[in-house]
Amino acid sequence: MTSTRTTSRTTLAACLVLQGTTDTATLAPALEQDLRGLVDVADEVVVYDTADHLAPGSAAFDATLHPAVTVVSGFWADDRDRAQEAALAHVGADWALCVLAGERVTASPEALRQLLSHAVDLPAMSVRVDDVVRGTHRSARLLRNGSGAPARAGELAEVPSALLTVRQPVATTASLPAQRGVFDRV
């Protein structure tokens, strides 16, 4: 008797929450770079936009026309958890990488997917974040879809920095003060 075994590829989404003013003149160039970089890493990109950052005709808007990008308009209401949950509700992938506007992701996508395919019992994993404001730290940025709230800091497995790192460059930090602290440090 022969058995056929089907293996499915672990999928990864990038979840970008945009919060703050609609100053598209300074945000748009960085946002376009963010979106293009995330499309290279993730199977899908969900942008949760709380202030109409994606004006038609802008380079950032053009980047959203990529078939892997979904833009969802929403509300901030001074509740980071609600905004993140609202964004995650639109993710269809197995795992979601949560990032902020201006952050750069360095990843080895296939090696990361292989690691995630073995992390079936974990609700979240911590990622190295190089942040010019808060310094280098680890944060629960990778969330398994449908797993609910991330685990406490002591319960998180770490993603090796060689597979995934999030970096907040100096040039974008000054223009995004309202977004600092959107994700908790672990």
Side-chain angles (χ1 to χ4, degrees):
M1 178 174 182
T2 346
S3 69
T4 55
R5 185 176 168 193
T6 306
T7 57
S8 63
R9 181 175 176 254
T10 298
T11 54
L12 177 64
C15 196
L16 176 63
V17 174
L18 299 178
Q19 180 265 328
T21 66
T22 58
D23 181 11
T24 57
T26 56
L27 184 62
L31 186 53
E32 176 192 15
Q33 186 177 1
D34 295 348
L35 291 171
R36 294 191 191 286
L38 292 173
V39 165
D40 290 341
V41 172
D43 301 299
E44 66 176 300
V45 177
V46 174
V47 179
Y48 188 77
D49 187 3
T50 65
D52 296 327
H53 291 94
L54 303 168
S58 69
F61 177 82
D62 292 344
T64 67
L65 299 177
H66 189 284
V69 178
T70 301
V71 178
V72 179
S73 293
F75 300 98
W76 179 249
D78 291 325
D79 187 344
R80 66 177 175 186
D81 293 331
R82 192 202 66 75
Q84 180 178 312
E85 287 174 23
L88 291 170
H90 296 275
V91 169
D94 301 316
W95 286 84
L97 171 63
C98 299
V99 295
L100 300 171
E103 291 182 329
R104 302 291 179 261
V105 174
T106 304
S108 175
E110 291 311 313
L112 178 60
R113 282 181 182 84
Q114 184 174 354
L115 174 75
L116 296 175
S117 71
H118 297 289
V120 293
D121 295 331
L122 298 175
M125 295 185 79
S126 71
V127 174
R128 176 182 165 166
V129 179
D130 295 330
D131 187 319
V132 296
V133 175
R134 295 170 51 198
T136 298
H137 61 279
R138 297 200 71 85
S139 180
R141 297 289 190 97
L142 265 175
L143 308 175
R144 190 165 46 82
N145 197 0
S147 65
R152 292 185 305 249
E155 300 172 7
L156 291 177
E158 295 183 358
V159 174
S161 297
L163 299 185
L164 178 65
T165 300
V166 175
R167 185 174 51 90
Q168 175 71 55
V170 175
T172 58
T173 303
S175 64
L176 300 171
Q179 290 187 312
R180 302 303 331 141
V182 171
F183 298 102
D184 287 331
R185 178 186 234 172
V186 292

